[in-house]
Amino acid sequence: MSVVVEAPARTAWLDGVNPVTKVAIVVVLAVPLLVSIDAVSAATALMLELLCVPLTGLPLTTVLKRMLPVVVFAPVAAVSMLLYARPGGTVYGSFLFATISDDSIVLAIAVLLRVLALALPMILLFARTDPTALADALAQVAKLPSRFVLGVLAGARTVGLFVDDWRTMTLARRARGLGDRGALRRFFSMAFVLLVFAVRRGTKLATAMEARGFGADVERTWARPSTLSGRDGAALAGAIVLGALALAAAMVTGAFRVVGT
């Protein structure tokens, strides 16, 4: 009889970065993308972020799968910009308030790339972050109120339950012969059921946490210490360099454009 021993998960470089630093990195990477609206800076940031995938320990296929919902819904923002942006250059067509022109096409591409570049860091940074470690960091490093931190932790823990609920409902509907057609109607009906589950579970969880004194305004202690290290400084500096390179690429090529201009 042979015993199969699972190999331990490989430790990635970003696993040693404090969760609060990861939040700061997301903010640092978002600022250049929110103050500018051009395709070059967004494309540069997106490519540099993809180069950082090996630091996360995530397979590229996993990253692409988790980006799939963003890729599906990002064109919605691009289409609205394509139709309703301020017209400029050659006008290719118009209908009522919608006008498609050179400027609107360029802005639509920029918005599409920008949405992807804003979503990718959150997937890369928090895909392997333990919710408890995040709560420890928010309380000890960021010095946030314990009541808020414990609420965030409880909410993060329930996300996995929602995924399990969705999978269970899918299997149950298939067993009853209801999962073979009507995908859109099935999605909305299951989403409504999941919303009901969320409200009920949230009410019970809030009551249980209040009963155990989690809402008390007292100074709390934490079982696991959360501290900053030199790796946190290096990661934050890398994020600043990445954002600066994205803006520099746009300025060098002459494509830099501030939001609202």
Side-chain angles (χ1 to χ4, degrees), residues 74-164:
V76 176
V79 169
S80 62
M81 187 64 67
L82 176 67
L83 298 177
Y84 303 111
R86 183 186 304 171
T90 304
V91 176
Y92 298 100
S94 61
F95 178 76
L96 296 178
F97 299 103
T99 302
I100 300 178
S101 64
D102 287 336
D103 278 5
S104 65
I105 293 174
V106 172
L107 288 175
I109 296 174
V111 168
L112 177 62
L113 294 173
R114 201 158 245 86
V115 171
L116 298 178
L118 288 171
L120 184 57
M122 289 186 285
I123 294 175
L124 298 181
L125 292 170
F126 295 103
R128 289 165 56 112
T129 300
D130 179 42
T132 303
L134 175 61
D136 289 334
L138 292 176
Q140 300 176 52
V141 179
K143 305 298 182 182
L144 294 180
S146 59
R147 185 168 184 172
F148 171 78
V149 171
L150 293 171
V152 171
L153 176 60
R157 287 296 188 189
T158 57
V159 173
L161 298 178
F162 293 148
V163 175
D164 293 337

Side-chain angles (χ1 to χ4, degrees), residues 64 66-76 112 115-116:
L64 295 178
R66 297 190 179 187
M67 280 290 293
L68 185 59
V70 181
V71 174
V72 172
F73 290 103
V76 176
L112 177 62
V115 171
L116 298 178

Side-chain angles (χ1 to χ4, degrees), residues 34-90:
L34 294 177
V35 300
S36 63
I37 184 166
D38 59 84
V40 175
S41 60
T44 304
L46 187 59
M47 287 188 296
L48 293 175
E49 289 166 3
L50 288 173
L51 292 177
C52 295
V53 170
L55 299 177
T56 66
L58 295 172
L60 184 58
T61 54
T62 301
V63 175
L64 295 178
K65 288 180 181 178
R66 297 190 179 187
M67 280 290 293
L68 185 59
V70 181
V71 174
V72 172
F73 290 103
V76 176
V79 169
S80 62
M81 187 64 67
L82 176 67
L83 298 177
Y84 303 111
R86 183 186 304 171
T90 304

